[in-house]
Amino acid sequence: MAVEHPVAAPSGDQTRIHNIGYRNYDGPRLGRSYATRSLYSQSLRGAYGLGRSVKSKVLPMLLFVVMCVPAAIMVAVAVATKANDLPVDYTRYAIVMQAVISLYVASQAPQSVSRDLRFKTVPLYFSRPIETADYVRAKYAALASAMFVLTAAPLLVLYVGALLAKLDFADQTKGFAQGLVSVALLSLLFAGLGLVIAAVTPRRGFGIAAVIAVLTISYGAVSTLQAIAEVQNSTGSIAWIGLFSPVTLIDGVQSAFLGATSAFPGGVGPTNGEGSVYVLVTLGLIAACYGLLMRRYRKVGL
């Protein structure tokens, strides 16, 4: 039987170390803050389809136009008729246009997070000097900022139009400021809820359906129960029922503290005491959404 002999290792003079061109990076290292800002700006641009295909721009830009066109029409009517006030208060505009806002959240929240989950790219983010909290903050801030642009732009149209119509400057400025506070709170709440729901599934279609269902069903159920309570002369429970829908939460906060007219049955919003509960519940939901996102991405990033 033949015995195989091991091949002798090459002697020292036969070994070679080849320089294949790798060099150490000696440029600036921008760190976590730069990476977080980049993720924020990229996510914000993506919320309006910027830097993406034309198809991705259609829906967000269309919804932005739909939000602004009614405000422009109201301004034109106010200027033409020389009205003494705008047809809709600044704090009421977002409530009236809530269907458009809900559709925007439903379309853009999954776009922001579902693809990262689906294609398992989240761990790649965390392989860089970016941490879970940085990722969550960047995504949350980007969607909230995009929503603020969506909801504040028509208020700006109303405000400029009111000044062109020579309406009272002090009253319009006060109303505009109250409207901005209202839509800022709405943007934080809706962005948080949308991201939490979308982060549950990597399927974008499921995320869109789930966000629409939560926002529309909750509002429909609460409005129905409030109407029943009014018919049964149980007006004291109307304000408490409003705690169970994001839209009515914002409505209650602004009617209690921002001088808005309530959309609740009978036009009677929560008292200051009940309004304090509305504020606490709203802030609690925003904090809970942030905490749930942190918990979700700690698991995903492993």
Side-chain angles (χ1 to χ4, degrees), residues 178 236 239-240 243 249 251-260 262 264 268-281:
Q178 291 172 334
W240 300 113
L243 292 170
L249 267 176
D251 191 324
V253 171
Q254 65 182 19
S255 61
F257 298 110
L258 297 176
S262 177
F264 290 178
V268 180
T271 62
N272 288 342
E274 294 167 341
S276 299
V277 178
Y278 271 70
V279 173
L280 291 175
V281 171

Side-chain angles (χ1 to χ4, degrees), residues 66-271:
V66 170
M67 282 291 294
C68 293
V69 166
I73 294 174
M74 292 177 190
V75 165
V77 171
V79 172
T81 60
K82 298 181 179 179
N84 295 324
D85 206 350
L86 293 172
V88 176
D89 293 337
Y90 295 97
T91 50
R92 293 288 307 144
Y93 193 86
I95 303 298
V96 173
M97 302 295 290
Q98 61 173 291
V100 180
I101 297 172
S102 298
L103 184 57
Y104 181 85
V105 178
S107 63
Q108 298 309 311
Q111 186 276 137
S112 180
V113 296
S114 294
R115 291 189 303 172
D116 288 344
L117 295 171
R118 182 177 180 180
F119 297 110
K120 303 183 186 303
T121 57
V122 176
L124 297 179
Y125 285 106
F126 300 153
S127 67
R128 292 320 220 169
I130 186 173
E131 298 183 357
T132 304
D134 301 323
Y135 181 89
V136 170
R137 282 196 295 266
K139 290 291 184 177
Y140 199 150
L143 185 58
S145 299
M147 288 201 58
F148 183 75
V149 171
L150 180 78
T151 53
L155 300 187
L156 181 61
V157 173
L158 289 174
Y159 181 64
V160 172
L163 297 183
L164 291 176
K166 298 181 180 179
L167 301 182
D168 185 76
F169 177 79
D171 289 343
Q172 296 305 315
T173 302
K174 179 181 178 182
F176 179 57
Q178 291 172 334
L180 290 180
V181 172
S182 175
V183 297
L185 194 61
L186 181 147
S187 299
L188 287 171
L189 179 60
F190 276 50
L193 292 172
L195 289 175
V196 167
I197 296 169
V200 173
T201 174
R203 298 291 180 180
R204 184 181 178 186
F206 292 160
I208 292 173
V211 174
I212 291 177
V214 169
L215 295 178
T216 58
I217 292 176
S218 64
Y219 177 72
V222 166
S223 298
T224 302
L225 291 175
Q226 287 179 326
I228 293 173
E230 184 189 25
V231 171
Q232 295 180 348
N233 294 322
S234 181
T235 55
S237 62
I238 291 178
W240 300 113
I241 295 173
L243 292 170
F244 296 94
S245 166
V247 177
T248 52
L249 267 176
I250 300 300
D251 191 324
V253 171
Q254 65 182 19
S255 61
F257 298 110
L258 297 176
T261 302
S262 177
F264 290 178
V268 180
T271 62

